[in-house]
Amino acid sequence: QVQLVESGGGLVQPGGSLRLSCAASGIIFRRYAMGWYRQAPGKQRELVATISSDGSGNYADSVKGRFTIFRDNGENTVHLQMNSLKPEDTAVYYCNVRIIVNYWGQGTQVTVSS
């Protein structure tokens, strides 16, 4: 079965950096676009970034120039490098793949606070 496992969240000060990772199993990873979403308390889940099977990234306007999504097809992982973090980036971050239906990881908490 499809399994997505996120890691790398934590507490960071404003202006700091974090790298999130998502390990995928149960799929032929290189064939599928992958995505990162986030959900802040009291808000709807929103798209952060996606990466196509050929490695092209797309970003929400709120993170452009600060976040980078990249993938390692040999390791079946997708990463989200987050720089210049802001308090409004605080959320639970989820890895996603859509194969007919959406599959989600368990999420990893990112807290940006001084």
Side-chain angles (χ1 to χ4, degrees), residues 44-95:
Q44 288 191 332
R45 193 171 295 188
E46 64 175 2
L47 176 67
V48 176
T50 61
I51 186 166
S52 66
S53 58
D54 66 1
S56 298
N58 282 286
Y59 301 89
D61 287 344
S62 58
V63 307
K64 277 181 184 175
R66 300 189 297 122
F67 291 12
T68 302
I69 188 170
F70 59 101
R71 63 193 297 159
D72 183 339
N73 288 341
E75 296 291 330
N76 287 6
T77 56
V78 59
H79 305 277
L80 186 68
Q81 177 67 41
M82 306 186 295
N83 299 329
S84 302
L85 282 160
K86 305 175 181 180
E88 51 264 43
D89 295 317
T90 295
V92 178
Y93 283 70
Y94 297 92
C95 182

Side-chain angles (χ1 to χ4, degrees), residues 1-9 20-26 29 34 36 75-79 93-97 103-108:
Q1 70 276 24
V2 180
Q3 211 170 14
L4 303 172
V5 179
E6 300 100 334
S7 60
L20 306 183
S21 298
C22 171
S25 60
F29 181 77
M34 302 293 297
W36 284 98
E75 296 291 330
N76 287 6
T77 56
V78 59
H79 305 277
Y93 283 70
Y94 297 92
C95 182
N96 168 269
V97 64
Y103 293 92
W104 302 94
Q106 82 286 354
T108 185

